[in-house]
Amino acid sequence: MLNDHNDAPIALFDSGIGGLSVLRHVRERLPAEELIYLADSAHTPYGDKSEDFIIERSLTIGRFFIEQGAKVLVIACNSATAAAVSVMREQLDIPIVGMEPGIKPAVTQSKNRRVGIMATAATVASEKFSTLAQRYANESELSIQACPGLVEHIEAMTHDSEESYQMLARYLLPFQQQGIDTLALGCTHYPFMLPQIREILGDEILVIDTGPAVAEQLQRILKQNASLRDQSAKGRVHFYATQHTERLREQIEKLWGEPVALRSLQR
Ligand code: DGL
């Protein structure tokens, strides 16, 4: 039976525009759903922030989503998931879908058992990530690379510049030396650099982006909770940013591919 709760929005957040790479898979899989996307642009990037800071931001944003009547919350950010998902689950009364670098699918699918993982410094330094990496370290040779600076380029939309290409090439060099055949993208910003990653590592490399798996998991949870929206409805996306600028709105439009009304949120 459908009720008001089924019409309630699904809420997603990231430090900035990276989570749009998840949002697009959610939109594709669940076109009837109302979606709220929040870019914590006043505090981006999360990758160089302390765990306490990321936890505090994630709780603040989570409370805002609850006030908006969201039926489920998606942390469209690996760094925020690594730092905050446990505390959020303890303190917030809403189902939460988190995400983590796809080490498991990467290890399962690698043929030569050499796997590369790119993530932010905060994710790589987290306990959650160490536990995950240790679990699969016997099955494949894992090459782990923190990539400070890439998120800043993507946020500034300078990720097709020569400077950012050179930075990326430096981060990918150890993977080339190790001869990995599979790469896990452990940050939701990185899918926006996929053309450059493929140019450097070659088209044969298998790239694992967990965005589609997150959308699938979200659908599963909504089904389980009987809270999917009527499929004949047409969902909209409502965009918020903690630091609203015209430039940010343009960047979101560029990546999202549609005109966007961006609302400002002071929290
Ligand atoms: N896109 C985020 C992630 O998946 C955060 C990146 C950042 O803000 O440093 O980790």
Side-chain angles (χ1 to χ4, degrees), residues 76-98:
C77 173
N78 293 268
S79 311
T81 304
V85 70
S86 316
V87 183
M88 290 175 84
R89 287 198 172 120
E90 266 164 40
Q91 299 196 16
L92 302 177
D93 186 17
I94 184 170
I96 295 176
V97 180

Side-chain angles (χ1 to χ4, degrees), residues 45-49 118-122 124 145-154 163-164 166-168 170-171 187 190 193:
Y46 282 173
D48 64 2
K49 305 289 191 304
M118 301 167 68
T120 67
V124 170
Q145 187 66 50
C147 306
L150 288 185
V151 165
E152 286 88 328
H153 272 296
I154 295 161
E163 191 195 324
S164 113
Q166 292 307 332
M167 179 186 275
L168 179 68
R170 276 198 303 279
Y171 289 141
C187 168
Y190 301 161
M193 290 195 83

Side-chain angles (χ1 to χ4, degrees), residues 9-27 33-41 44 46 61 64-65 68 70 72-77 99 154-155 188-189 192 236-242 248 251-253 255-256 260-265:
I10 297 167
L12 302 93
F13 80 97
D14 177 53
S15 65
I17 53 184
L20 295 172
S21 71
V22 180
L23 186 71
R24 66 183 177 199
H25 294 292
V26 170
R27 172 72 149 180
E33 299 291 337
E34 286 286 292
L35 305 173
I36 301 180
Y37 182 87
L38 185 136
D40 194 11
S41 44
T44 193
Y46 282 173
I61 294 166
F64 166 70
F65 286 155
Q68 298 301 303
V72 59
L73 188 162
V74 180
I75 311 176
C77 173
M99 60 194 303
I154 295 161
E155 286 293 318
T188 55
H189 280 77
F192 294 116
R236 292 164 301 174
V237 192
H238 308 270
F239 290 93
Y240 288 86
T242 50
L248 177 63
Q251 285 163 351
I252 294 177
E253 279 190 352
L255 296 180
W256 188 241
V260 156
L262 182 62
R263 275 178 258 193
S264 170
L265 178 77

Side-chain angles (χ1 to χ4, degrees), residues 31 66 104 167-168 175 216 227:
I66 292 172
K104 183 180 175 185
M167 179 186 275
L168 179 68
F175 298 153
E216 202 180 322
S227 52

